[in-house]
Amino acid sequence: MRTREIVLEAGKTESQYWRDVWDYRELLYFLAWRDILVRYKQTAIGILWALIRPFLTTIVLTVVFSVLAKLPSEENVPYPIMVFAAMLPWQFFANALTECSNSLITNSQIISKIYFPRLIVPVSAVVVCFIDFLISGMILLALMAWYNFIPNWRILTLPLFTAIAFAAAIGAGLWLAALTVEYRDFRHVVPFLVQVGQYISPVGFSSNIVPEQWRLLYSLNPMVGVIDGFRWAILGGEAQLYLPGLILSVGLVLLLLASSIWYFRRTERTFADVI
């Protein structure tokens, strides 16, 4: 009786690798669903935590920057709506960084035993954060109803800025996931980066308060363009996008995404040995 030998040629060519990613897409769904169940298992209010955390953060930022610091809102929009329009992409990005950086370590058992494209693990972590992002969007709808705020046609461009935020989360997440396998120091660095990033990004305040001569330099933070885009799409009115900053941010996001895939593909062959 003849037996057929199957040889797994992991990552032999780029086309082979991406075909493998597609073939293992059900594993991505499984990992994402498992992480959702584990995240809210044995919690008293379950998935409501996806609503409570950004809502409480919005209240704190509104009190600090609007009530205490007396910073102005954009286009006289209620301050909580302006803050939450930025909180949505920032919370998604920050959660994706945190979850991605630990994703390969927490799945070390499966990575060290069987072959599959390792890219699936951090991407599934980002998908879970994206589901939280969609759930959190209900708070924005509630705030709009509370303040009787009606967005204009710009809201139709929101999927474009959501795609940019997703690309930024994948790009930064892949870098940190790969680096954390080799250098566990990043498990301590990432929470610090997220905390600092929230203060230097225009989450609690409008980027319009940044002096004009510093706007382009400020846009070197890729999340500045993403957050400004979200506000432009959600708040409407006469608010204008700072186009040079947006183009710079989008370019940096694409560079971040391409370089992260390159570095992840270069190092993933060693994950099973190092992890």
Side-chain angles (χ1 to χ4, degrees):
M1 178 178 178
R2 299 181 59 185
T3 59
R4 182 184 178 190
E5 183 180 1
I6 299 176
V7 180
L8 294 175
E9 299 175 307
K12 184 177 180 180
T13 63
E14 285 300 315
S15 60
Q16 172 72 43
Y17 183 80
W18 294 110
R19 195 180 305 127
D20 285 350
V21 171
W22 174 252
D23 290 341
Y24 281 89
R25 62 189 181 281
E26 290 188 2
L27 179 61
L28 189 152
Y29 304 147
F30 168 78
L31 292 176
W33 180 244
R34 182 205 61 179
D35 289 346
I36 292 172
L37 293 179
V38 170
R39 176 178 296 189
Y40 299 111
K41 186 179 181 181
Q42 293 184 332
T43 58
I45 57 176
I47 206 164
L48 287 178
W49 281 114
L51 298 174
I52 291 176
R53 285 184 302 173
F55 181 67
L56 293 179
T57 307
T58 298
I59 292 176
V60 172
L61 293 179
T62 299
V63 170
V64 171
F65 290 102
S66 177
V67 179
L68 300 180
K70 305 292 184 186
L71 293 182
S73 177
E74 282 190 24
E75 302 298 323
N76 296 319
V77 172
Y79 211 90
I81 294 180
M82 190 196 77
V83 170
F84 201 81
M87 180 60 63
L88 266 177
W90 173 255
Q91 196 82 32
F92 167 56
F93 181 75
N95 289 342
L97 288 194
T98 305
E99 298 297 328
C100 271
S101 63
N102 291 316
S103 61
L104 294 173
I105 302 297
T106 55
N107 288 282
S108 59
Q109 292 294 325
I110 186 173
I111 288 174
S112 60
K113 289 180 179 175
I114 62 173
Y115 164 75
F116 64 92
R118 311 312 192 202
L119 191 71
I120 285 177
V121 176
V123 170
S124 71
V126 175
V127 169
V128 173
C129 298
F130 186 68
I131 292 172
D132 281 348
F133 164 85
L134 295 177
I135 296 172
S136 301
M138 291 191 292
I139 297 179
L140 182 63
L141 296 178
L143 287 173
M144 287 179 173
W146 178 264
Y147 288 102
N148 196 25
F149 179 86
I150 301 175
N152 62 16
W153 63 268
R154 291 181 183 174
I155 197 71
L156 298 176
T157 64
L158 195 57
L160 172 64
F161 296 108
T162 302
I164 299 173
F166 200 94
I170 291 280
L174 289 182
W175 266 110
L176 291 174
L179 288 170
T180 303
V181 171
E182 190 166 0
Y183 308 102
R184 304 300 165 91
D185 311 73
F186 279 90
R187 301 178 75 174
H188 306 281
V189 171
V190 171
F192 174 74
L193 290 178
V194 169
Q195 191 173 20
V196 172
Q198 179 168 321
Y199 289 108
I200 63 174
S201 300
V203 179
F205 54 88
S206 169
S207 57
N208 289 337
I209 67 172
V210 178
E212 191 68 23
Q213 65 268 30
W214 297 108
R215 289 291 296 274
L216 195 60
L217 183 64
Y218 187 54
S219 300
L220 286 174
N221 174 358
M223 287 306 293
V224 170
V226 173
I227 290 172
D228 285 348
F230 264 71
R231 281 193 173 132
W232 180 83
I234 293 172
L235 304 184
E238 298 180 359
Q240 298 296 320
L241 267 178
Y242 179 60
L243 200 55
L246 176 65
I247 294 173
L248 177 61
S249 293
V250 171
L252 289 173
V253 167
L254 294 177
L255 179 63
L256 183 67
L257 179 63
S259 63
S260 67
I261 292 175
W262 169 80
Y263 183 74
F264 193 92
R265 290 277 292 116
R266 182 186 174 193
T267 57
E268 71 172 325
R269 294 185 183 88
T270 64
F271 287 167
D273 300 324
V274 177
I275 208 167

